[in-house]
Amino acid sequence: LRKPLAPNKKATYSMKLRTSAVNHLLFKLLINGQNLEGNALLIGHINLASGFGGGEQQTFNLIKELATKGIKQKLLCRGPNRLAENALKLGIEVHYINHWAFRHLRNFDADFWHAHDGKAVYWAALQHIIHKTPYVITRRVDNPLSQNKFTRMAYRQASMVVCLSRAIEAKVKELDNEIKTTIIPSSYSGFNHFPQDKEKIKEEYKG
């Protein structure tokens, strides 16, 4: 890609827990020694969920944190929705797509794609086939994956499948043990921590 760093340099991130870990993973896997902070790298996010649940909140958490680093991003999602509205408020470029099989003649100029839900995986896989754009997947649920050839291919050609737990990773490996996976737990909530309450609960339910 662009402007390789000296071997002893790494990108750093301030977001806690999962968002920080995902950022670092993307740096290690796909940028291959390039500095995300200050260069013109463009990260594409795909989330084709119809509603706004935990996965969409996690998608936005990552977009928001990367935006604080000045990293260029764009989002592909289903029609005008809450995720799109939140991203637009941050000045993120948003494109609407209603099915994973659509809009593949254009490559959208992303350096790589991050697929945040099941349908997004198929869209990213087709972009990789047509435009050779690499991608990573975040898998948030431990539902069994379809055993069809296209699903297996889509997960196998991903640079990495990020799983939120060992149970999720096990389901991914059931599809194909050669799929590259890593485990990164869910992101920091930002809620206040009250140690005294924790001790009271532990005392109440000990044993």
Side-chain angles (χ1 to χ4, degrees):
L1 296 172
R2 302 168 186 156
K3 297 182 182 178
L5 286 174
N8 61 342
K9 291 186 178 180
K10 293 183 179 180
T12 56
Y13 306 91
S14 62
M15 192 70 171
K16 298 178 181 179
L17 296 181
R18 185 175 185 280
T19 303
S20 175
V22 170
N23 293 353
H24 185 63
L25 174 69
L26 297 178
F27 167 73
K28 289 176 65 179
L29 290 174
L30 300 174
I31 293 90
N32 191 25
Q34 295 188 356
N35 189 355
L36 290 184
E37 301 180 69
N39 289 344
L41 186 81
L42 200 159
I43 300 174
H45 303 274
I46 323 118
N47 189 310
L48 301 181
S50 56
F52 189 91
E56 289 63 59
Q57 184 62 61
Q58 294 289 338
T59 301
F60 180 67
N61 286 350
L62 181 58
I63 291 172
K64 184 177 180 180
E65 176 59 20
L66 290 173
T68 68
K69 304 299 180 183
I71 297 169
K72 294 178 64 178
Q73 303 173 84
K74 58 179 59 179
L75 168 68
L76 271 67
C77 61
R78 289 176 63 92
N81 56 23
R82 182 176 168 187
L83 178 59
E85 291 172 2
N86 290 345
L88 286 168
K89 289 176 182 177
L90 296 177
I92 302 299
E93 180 182 336
V94 176
H95 298 270
Y96 300 128
I97 177 171
N98 291 320
H99 194 278
W100 59 265
F102 297 163
R103 304 195 68 178
H104 289 288
L105 293 180
R106 177 179 176 183
N107 67 11
F108 294 95
D109 300 318
D111 288 299
F112 66 88
W113 292 102
H114 187 165
H116 291 272
D117 73 296
K119 296 295 189 294
V121 172
Y122 299 137
W123 191 92
L126 287 176
Q127 281 284 298
H128 180 74
I129 292 169
I130 298 168
H131 301 291
K132 309 303 180 185
T133 309
Y135 62 99
V136 296
I137 298 167
T138 291
R139 182 73 180 171
R140 296 185 170 90
V141 295
D142 61 359
N143 300 334
L145 288 159
S146 172
Q147 294 292 323
N148 66 66
K149 291 182 180 180
F150 185 47
T151 300
R152 184 175 290 105
M153 178 275 294
Y155 277 81
R156 283 200 65 170
Q157 71 180 12
S159 296
M160 184 64 69
V161 179
V162 179
C163 304
L164 270 64
S165 68
R166 286 190 292 273
I168 295 172
E169 182 183 47
K171 291 297 183 182
V172 173
K173 290 294 188 179
E174 284 180 8
L175 177 64
D176 191 319
N177 197 51
E178 297 301 314
I179 295 171
K180 297 178 289 294
T181 61
T182 190
I183 298 173
I184 301 177
S186 194
S187 72
Y188 178 64
S189 67
F191 295 143
N192 292 329
H193 174 56
F194 301 99
Q196 67 276 14
D197 292 340
K198 181 185 76 172
E199 295 305 318
K200 288 179 182 177
I201 294 169
K202 287 172 63 178
E203 181 65 25
E204 184 176 352
Y205 294 99
K206 68 180 179 179

